[in-house]
Amino acid sequence: MSGSAAHQIDPAERPEIDSVVVRFAGDSGDGIQLTGSRFTETVAIAGNDLETFPDFPAEIRAPVGTTYGVSAFQINFGSRTIMTSGDAPDVLVALNPAALKTNVGDLKPGGLVIVDTGTFIDKNFEKAGYPANPLEDGSLSRFQVFPIDISKQTLEAVKDSGVSKRDGLRAKNFWTLGLIDWMYDRDLAPTIKWIEAKFTKEPEVGKANVSALKAGHAYGETAEMPAGVRGVTIRPAEHAPGLYRTITGADSLAYGLIAGAQLAGLDLFFASYPITPASAVLHTLAGLKGYNVATFQAEDEIAAAAAAIGASYAGALGITSSSGPGMALKTEAIGLAIGVELPLVVLDTQRAGPSTGMPTKTEQSDLYLAVYGRNADAPVVVLSARSPSDAFDTAIEAIRIATKFMTPVILLSDTYIASAAEPWLIPDFGTYRPFPVKFRTEPEGFHPFLRDKDTLARPWVKPGTPGMAHRVGGLEKNFNSGHISYDPINHQRMTDVRKAKIDGVAKDIPAQAVDQGDSKGKVAVVGWGSTYGPISRAVGNLRREGKAVSHIHLRHLWPLPRNLGELLKGFDQVIVPEMNTGQLITMLRNQYLVPAEGLNKVMGRPFTISEIEAAIRSKLG
Amino acid sequence: MNDTVMPRALTPESFESDQEIRWCPGCGDYAIVKGVRKALAEIGTQPDQVVFVSGIGCASRFPYYMATYGFHTIHGRAPAIASGVKLANPALDVWVVGGDGDMLSIGGNHTMHAIRRNIDLNILLFNNEIYGLTKGQYSPTSRVGTRSPSTPMGSIDYPVNALLYALGAGAHFIARTVDTLQKHVPEVLKRAHAHKGASFVEIIQNCIVYNDGAFDHFTAKDVASERQLLLEHGKPLRFGKKLDKGLRFDPKAMRLEVVQVGEGGVPESELVVHDETNLSLASMLAALEPPTFPIALGVIYCNPAESYDHAFTGQLEAARAKAPKADINALLRKGHTWNIGTPR
């Protein structure tokens, strides 16, 4: 398990620990996400492994001081391999009473709470629903509490920078960051450089932020710390050699799409409608138009899917992106792409639902929608990314399959993957095998639904190609001519061939490997998507105890890998942890008649390692 | 490649596909398809540079009957799909075809935004004031009181005026014609094609089965010349068998009025002169309804502005000029990176 009891020991030197989980929490206007992302970079530069978990409200500026306006950012970092953003924080920084109230319950017993006492006033207790000052009523006795008037310290630090009191107080996130940087012995220089670059147009604000950062750091060095609170050392992690960067899932997907389109030799046309949390991919791609990327903000979700299909029809690679409610709206258009057999990549950054649900919270509950959720027999390929860095390769795989088989591919990500960051050993793009698309230009013997014998894919023709003018549409096509047909036998044949084409993708994807453990044994834990981290660590912990547990993690969700049935039958028990009420498990039971059991959680946040570990332990007896 | 494609001399037949037309005998769509083929032949774009995109409905079968590229899509979404086609491949000549239910009801949103963006699409709305393919329900352009299977006591909602809707969406080109006007249809379509940006053309079309005669009060031979105002830029607004009527602007009431011209009437100089670039006039002309007024036919408004596809391509070119290599390795290494050496 991550973390340690480092804050309770008291030698003169900075003691060494192997990992720690820190959570910053404050008002949504306090700049918590910014603090988190700056600290992430600092940690990455120091060579630690890390995973982050930004957790923010759907409201942009909820009323100040309320519990529903609390924004939090958790980071787990260490000198060892980090698989998750951490089960429970070792350290909580709470910038107001509401942040304390909503987060302190997650803190480890004995953990450290740093609070800004400047905000611990009656008005804020009332807003947070505290009957009295929680710092004085003994309710925090299980923790170590480090009260600092961060507000006052910040104002003191910025008083010479010429900013208003209001602007000065806004620098308190940097003061806090400075203190945490001191605690983990981190270099301030990268953050100072970042602030200076960011505030070139408001140099006095930049100066105030730098002053606050330095003051927080100096406070750690000079102020008298409560017993047991002190700086620690976390050595760099042992990473494979190479060049690293941090990457979020949203950026990784965007880069993967650009890379995939280049491998296919196509221009990328990305059409999307603003929706939380999928918009981040649109934002990244909109800034990268130099990479043969066109982005189109459509008038609605349907138009986004439709424009992407139009672009694919015209010979570009159409991509559309959304989250649950938007996916529901795109359904009919995806059916059209299936019917006319055009390549299309559909990104679904899943969020908690149904309906609007919890837009900023994570869930994996669109699997049924992706695999089954269309009118009529309308099979598509479904893939999922398991981590921010994995999203890059998964996006390339989606484009490879979409273009090779002339089919829509739905790529499932989720809120957690999209916003989490981790270090990434940057791949050498030169080692990726291109899969150039060949447009048909030969009129002889052509009709639009002529099929490749192996893939059953139809030819792709760019409009404008001389002598190849043809018509396609959503009406049923004659197998032999591509013309409209209502013939009953023909419809059976076309439905069968559309299914056979997608089933045939299974021959084109790797056999399912076992991520950890043996390919036979007592228990297999089967996961997909962002549960990768906690499952991997839980299985690893149990295997170190000598337990016969294996971890199988699926990227290809439809069609399923061809050996998966056999693989699952090699285990006495199959456990399927999912952030839904049991969707993959239904598919596995249905496909393979295996007695799989589910472990299900829909709380808008990822599984903890201990939850999965406990579930496996109970099966092992 | 040494294939040189010799431009063929184009005739309307060059645009005729091998598919048998399946509209009802006597449908106004037959006349429209003829008019479109004639216009395209005169425009002179090779058929394989042309794409027809349609939604769902009788009108939307249109692409199957054209020997061009064609995409018969889903209900209401043709303007959005056509937008993707045009933006991904701006060299193509893209036409959108749909009916009043398709483009003003289920797809009203896409019609509005394609027009608002001013994407270089030629949008043809076949308005027959009825749902034909679903067997005769009233449509968003049906007049109040229309009896249909879904409104046996008469419809109670007010219809939308297609051209005013387009103007409201910020159209830079609107025009209107009638299916049976064999010479007028191709002339209007050529103007629509020549306009760079979204061109919106309402084609009044008779549904012989479910709404036959809906437009007789201004299309029937005996009344046509009295009820049709054929617009020409720079010419006074005159109509009538002997061109003895005209439209004058009443400044106090801020509206057009029908006046007698010539002998016993007002001099021609008092009539409004058609100006295609005048938005106020366009709004008044688009709103004219028979029998009180003649229906306005021809190019009502043409006031070009930069098209979305032109600006879109411009941004892409500017961005590509800055990153001419599109180097993925460089992209992945942008921003902060750090090196971890081989472990000792």
Side-chain angles (χ1 to χ4, degrees), chain A residues 369-381:
Chain A
L369 176 81
V371 177
Y372 303 120
R374 283 164 296 282
N375 58 307
D377 284 302
V380 295
V381 176

Side-chain angles (χ1 to χ4, degrees), chain A residues 44-45 241-242 244-245 262 293 296 299-300 302 313-314 427-429 464-468 470-474 483, chain B residues 19 48-49 63 68-72 77 81 84-85 89 109-110 113 117 308 316 326 329 332-333 336-340:
Chain A
I45 290 169
Y244 284 78
R245 61 171 291 162
Q262 199 171 101
V293 172
F296 180 63
E299 59 270 25
D300 60 33
I302 299 171
Y313 174 78
D428 177 4
F429 188 60
T465 308
M468 301 292 286
H470 65 277
R471 277 65 57 195
V472 295
H483 295 322
Chain B
Q19 297 296 293
D48 43 35
Q49 300 298 316
T68 63
Y69 285 90
F71 196 178
H72 178 215
R77 317 303 168 203
I81 289 174
V85 173
N89 200 339
N109 195 35
H110 309 305
H113 291 280
R117 290 192 185 100
Y308 182 92
L316 294 184
N329 269 338
L332 301 182
R333 285 156 182 78
H336 183 74
T337 60
W338 66 96
N339 217 332
I340 292 179

Side-chain angles (χ1 to χ4, degrees), chain B:
Chain B
M1 300 284 288
N2 52 9
D3 283 6
T4 353
V5 181
M6 293 302 290
R8 283 176 281 163
L10 296 171
T11 63
E13 290 70 39
S14 312
F15 292 89
E16 208 175 305
S17 79
D18 59 356
Q19 297 296 293
E20 191 189 328
I21 296 186
R22 296 196 191 180
W23 288 313
C24 306
C27 176
D29 290 351
Y30 283 92
I32 301 175
V33 80
K34 246 175 110 174
V36 173
R37 287 172 183 162
K38 185 162 186 281
L40 286 171
E42 290 172 16
I43 288 164
T45 310
Q46 290 298 318
D48 43 35
Q49 300 298 316
V50 177
V51 182
F52 275 85
V53 181
S54 65
I56 293 294
C58 294
S60 293
R61 296 294 181 98
F62 199 91
Y64 291 113
Y65 310 133
M66 299 295 295
T68 63
Y69 285 90
F71 196 178
H72 178 215
T73 70
I74 43 178
H75 206 7
R77 317 303 168 203
I81 289 174
S83 297
V85 173
K86 183 70 185 179
L87 295 176
N89 200 339
L92 295 171
D93 193 357
V94 184
W95 298 70
V96 182
V97 175
D100 38 304
D102 194 54
M103 283 217 247
L104 292 174
S105 194
I106 192 167
N109 195 35
H110 309 305
T111 304
M112 168 166 85
H113 291 280
I115 291 171
R116 168 182 73 78
R117 290 192 185 100
N118 199 31
I119 300 187
D120 189 15
L121 303 172
N122 306 302
I123 305 171
L124 313 184
L125 173 82
F126 298 7
N127 185 4
N128 58 14
E129 298 188 359
I130 207 81
Y131 282 89
L133 204 56
T134 51
K135 300 197 190 313
Q137 299 84 357
Y138 83 113
S139 89
T141 53
S142 294
R143 276 156 259 174
V144 176
T146 299
R147 288 178 191 275
S148 79
S150 60
T151 51
M153 296 168 73
S155 63
I156 53 176
D157 37 346
Y158 300 104
V160 62
N161 176 317
L163 294 182
L164 287 178
Y165 180 78
L167 278 184
H172 290 272
F173 182 100
I174 63 166
R176 186 191 278 134
T177 185
V178 179
D179 54 5
T180 48
L181 297 179
Q182 289 289 314
K183 285 184 186 151
H184 194 252
V185 170
E187 292 311 312
V188 167
L189 296 182
K190 283 193 285 183
R191 285 291 312 277
H193 178 267
H195 175 258
K196 296 299 159 213
S199 311
F200 186 79
V201 182
E202 180 187 24
I203 306 178
I204 302 294
Q205 177 246 326
N206 189 46
C207 172
I208 196 161
V209 174
Y210 294 110
N211 209 12
D212 193 22
F215 308 107
D216 278 359
H217 62 293
F218 63 85
T219 59
K221 268 189 186 149
D222 54 333
V223 294
S225 48
E226 294 297 319
R227 300 266 170 85
Q228 296 182 1
L229 171 68
L230 292 162
L231 300 168
E232 264 186 89
H233 183 63
K235 298 276 173 66
L237 303 178
R238 291 183 77 152
F239 65 102
K241 206 173 264 175
K242 298 175 193 151
L243 290 179
D244 55 345
K245 296 189 183 72
L247 294 181
R248 185 171 68 175
F249 184 66
D250 174 353
K252 270 193 186 151
M254 287 183 67
R255 67 183 170 211
L256 297 172
E257 58 181 357
V258 176
V259 290
Q260 201 68 33
V261 190
E263 249 176 82
V266 306
E268 192 185 68
S269 58
E270 285 191 23
L271 300 184
V272 174
V273 173
H274 185 40
D275 175 2
E276 290 174 355
T277 65
N278 183 330
L279 182 59
S280 308
L281 179 60
S283 309
M284 287 189 280
L285 291 173
L288 297 180
E289 275 188 40
T292 319
F293 288 96
I295 188 149
L297 301 175
V299 177
I300 292 174
Y301 187 58
C302 177
N303 191 13
E306 185 181 20
S307 71
Y308 182 92
D309 42 294
H310 187 263
F312 188 85
T313 310
Q315 286 196 347
L316 294 184
E317 281 168 1
R320 285 172 195 188
K322 278 189 191 163
K325 283 190 195 157
D327 181 347
I328 303 286
N329 269 338
L331 172 66
L332 301 182
R333 285 156 182 78
K334 236 164 49 181
H336 183 74
T337 60
W338 66 96
N339 217 332
I340 292 179
T342 317
R344 278 153 290 185

Side-chain angles (χ1 to χ4, degrees), chain A residues 220-564:
Chain A
E221 269 180 349
T222 56
E224 193 176 324
M225 296 287 134
V229 177
R230 56 173 313 109
V232 295
T233 296
I234 301 180
R235 291 187 179 281
E238 285 194 10
H239 283 107
L243 190 68
Y244 284 78
R245 61 171 291 162
T246 56
I247 188 95
T248 64
D251 283 350
S252 181
L253 276 174
Y255 296 162
L257 293 174
I258 293 175
Q262 199 171 101
L263 292 169
L266 297 173
D267 285 349
L268 190 155
F269 185 92
F270 186 91
S272 186
Y273 180 76
I275 186 168
T276 301
S279 299
V281 184
L282 170 64
H283 302 165
T284 300
L285 287 172
L288 295 171
K289 292 198 174 89
Y291 291 83
N292 299 323
V293 172
T295 58
F296 180 63
Q297 182 178 315
E299 59 270 25
D300 60 33
E301 296 283 359
I302 299 171
I309 291 168
S312 285
Y313 174 78
L317 179 68
I319 299 180
T320 188
S321 165
S322 192
S323 294
M327 286 296 293
L329 285 165
K330 293 180 197 294
T331 301
E332 189 198 12
I334 295 170
L336 174 68
I338 293 168
V340 296
E341 302 186 46
L342 280 169
L344 175 73
V345 175
V346 184
L347 298 183
D348 178 6
T349 304
Q350 301 165 93
R351 69 186 215 191
S355 187
T356 310
M358 302 196 287
T360 58
K361 309 296 175 192
T362 198
E363 208 162 274
Q364 295 183 295
S365 43
D366 292 351
L367 182 59
Y368 283 165
L369 176 81
V371 177
Y372 303 120
R374 283 164 296 282
N375 58 307
D377 284 302
V380 295
V381 176
V382 181
L383 306 179
S384 68
R386 69 188 192 186
S387 67
S389 54
D390 182 59
F392 181 78
D393 286 339
T394 311
I396 292 174
E397 175 72 344
I399 292 174
R400 186 189 71 82
I401 294 174
T403 52
K404 182 168 181 179
F405 290 87
M406 295 291 281
T407 177
V409 175
I410 297 176
L411 197 171
L412 297 172
S413 169
D414 64 28
T415 311
Y416 178 69
I417 291 177
S419 47
E422 64 182 12
W424 185 33
L425 175 58
I426 307 171
D428 177 4
F429 188 60
T431 62
Y432 284 69
R433 190 193 303 274
F435 41 85
V437 165
K438 289 187 193 74
F439 288 98
R440 172 134 183 170
T441 54
E442 174 52 55
E444 190 62 36
F446 166 77
H447 79 74
F449 287 85
L450 203 64
R451 288 175 195 281
D452 180 272
K453 278 196 202 73
D454 297 327
T455 62
L456 299 176
R458 77 174 187 90
W460 194 2
V461 179
K462 236 184 223 186
T465 308
M468 301 292 286
H470 65 277
R471 277 65 57 195
V472 295
L475 289 169
E476 186 60 288
K477 276 79 47 181
N478 181 290
F479 187 93
N480 295 310
S481 67
H483 295 322
I484 300 171
S485 169
Y486 294 157
D487 179 69
I489 292 169
N490 179 72
H491 179 56
Q492 179 79 50
R493 192 176 184 194
M494 286 297 283
T495 303
D496 292 346
V497 78
R498 283 188 287 261
K499 179 178 187 305
K501 182 177 85 166
I502 300 304
D503 289 348
V505 173
K507 291 182 286 183
D508 198 60
I509 61 176
Q512 182 61 47
V514 178
D515 195 76
Q516 263 190 99
D518 305 323
S519 53
K520 279 186 170 54
K522 258 191 168 167
V523 174
V525 184
V526 182
W528 65 280
S530 71
T531 53
Y532 179 78
I535 296 175
S536 180
R537 180 45 55 91
V539 168
N541 290 346
L542 291 164
R543 288 191 59 77
R544 271 191 292 281
E545 293 176 16
K547 308 274 199 252
V549 188
S550 298
H551 176 196
I552 295 168
H553 213 80
L554 305 179
R555 170 183 281 175
H556 296 88
L557 293 167
W558 199 265
L560 290 160
R562 57 194 183 280
N563 64 327
L564 184 61

Side-chain angles (χ1 to χ4, degrees), chain A residues 78-90:
Chain A
S79 57
R80 62 196 192 81
T81 305
I82 301 295
M83 300 298 299
T84 73
S85 55
D87 282 10
D90 300 288

